[in-house]
Amino acid sequence: MKLISYNLRKHRAARELATLVEKHAVDVLCLQECDTTDIPSTISGLRLADSTQRNRLGLAVYYRENTYRAVEVRSMALKKSLHDRVLKPAEERMLGVRLHDIDHGRELIVASFHAAPLTALNSLRRHQIKTALTELGGLGEGLPIIMVGDYNYPVFKENLGQKVREQGYELTLSDTRTYTRYRFFRGHYDFATSVGFEIDKVTTLPQGLSDHLPILVTAHPAKKAGRGEGTDAEVDVA
């Protein structure tokens, strides 16, 4: 599986999606900050599984329709930060899709995730991540899960990695930083969290119109998929 995660920065980078999908032969596309009223039903062979509905700038997941079939979709509103309560930029911060792999006759779960902004505490974002992963586990007992997106977690990632491992998952960072807008907030913001997957590599792609750089995740289901297995890899720290 090749999966791209991309925060479009208020939909500004939407025009780049078809080129990215075609150039990298993407199987799954997970978006954040996309205008859910202005996204197509298909992008270069990928079918829209669903998008969030309660916020205009939200999440979307696309999948290659000749490879997968969408079985179930679940979105979720997570614990709110003060920023969320006052400005209400996002209601739903996780969108998960259970996919059936047509050729291999197996199922897996992919999700797009967008954590609370930097004005919130890391403890709140850890709570959001934990809640999102628990909810995804309810989409299918023991299925491989991969959640990608904008985690808004530039520092103390080793602590986040430990918390994620305690939940039975693995946190994987990209090979280079994924955010460049502000001088003092550059770093790794976009991650992959997984269980039951072997992550071959996570590559930061060249920057486009967004302040986030897209990440390309190459992965395959582990031989023995399930929570608590294959989760002892070291967490890379920026």
Side-chain angles (χ1 to χ4, degrees):
M1 172 189 285
K2 288 186 176 182
L3 184 156
I4 280 182
S5 173
Y6 197 7
N7 181 319
L8 301 182
R9 192 187 175 189
K10 300 180 180 178
H11 205 63
R12 295 181 186 182
R15 70 184 74 172
E16 303 168 10
L17 296 176
T19 299
L20 284 171
V21 170
E22 294 167 6
K23 181 177 181 178
H24 299 284
V26 175
D27 301 300
V28 177
L29 180 64
C30 293
L31 304 177
Q32 304 90 44
E33 287 196 26
C34 63
D35 184 344
T36 56
T37 66
D38 188 33
I39 54 174
S41 59
T42 60
I43 299 176
S44 299
L46 303 189
R47 169 71 58 181
L48 177 65
D50 206 353
S51 60
T52 51
Q53 305 298 317
R54 297 201 295 272
N55 38 287
R56 185 179 66 85
L57 287 174
L59 310 173
V61 175
Y62 288 80
Y63 63 94
R64 188 161 296 282
E65 56 184 338
N66 64 1
T67 304
Y68 300 105
R69 175 172 54 85
V71 177
E72 185 177 352
V73 178
R74 185 174 300 178
S75 62
M76 187 177 187
L78 302 173
K79 186 176 181 180
K80 295 181 179 180
S81 66
L82 179 61
H83 180 88
D84 289 335
R85 295 181 185 280
V86 174
L87 300 180
K88 299 182 179 179
E91 177 71 19
E92 299 157 292
R93 290 191 171 273
M94 188 278 290
L95 177 66
V97 182
R98 178 172 175 170
L99 296 175
H100 176 77
D101 186 327
I102 298 170
D103 291 337
H104 297 92
R106 60 192 177 196
E107 294 190 348
L108 51 91
I109 297 168
V110 298
S112 182
F113 172 75
H114 192 185
L118 293 176
T119 52
L121 298 174
N122 275 350
S123 59
L124 173 63
R125 282 184 283 274
R126 289 196 300 270
H127 184 278
Q128 290 179 330
I129 293 165
K130 180 179 180 180
T131 304
L133 293 175
T134 299
E135 184 73 11
L136 289 175
L139 270 175
E141 182 65 30
L143 293 181
I145 296 172
I146 183 165
M147 184 175 81
V148 296
D150 178 5
Y151 283 62
N152 272 324
Y153 214 101
V155 295
F156 305 120
K157 287 182 284 293
E158 64 275 17
N159 187 28
L160 174 62
Q162 178 61 35
K163 296 297 183 182
V164 166
R165 285 195 297 272
E166 289 173 1
Q167 203 172 345
Y169 290 78
E170 178 182 345
L171 178 71
T172 308
L173 276 63
S174 191
D175 55 352
T176 60
R177 64 190 185 191
T178 67
Y179 187 79
T180 62
R181 185 178 181 188
Y182 296 112
R183 179 179 178 183
F184 298 107
F185 293 102
R186 296 179 179 181
H188 288 79
Y189 282 58
D190 304 84
F191 310 153
T193 306
S194 61
V195 64
F197 273 97
E198 294 289 340
I199 306 296
D200 300 320
K201 57 183 177 180
V202 182
T203 306
T204 302
L205 301 178
Q207 186 167 15
L209 295 174
S210 175
D211 47 359
H212 286 260
L213 284 69
I215 61 172
L216 173 63
V217 182
T218 306
H220 61 273
K223 292 182 179 179
K224 293 183 179 181
R227 270 164 286 290
E229 299 180 20
T231 58
D232 295 328
E234 292 293 329
V235 175
D236 184 11
V237 179

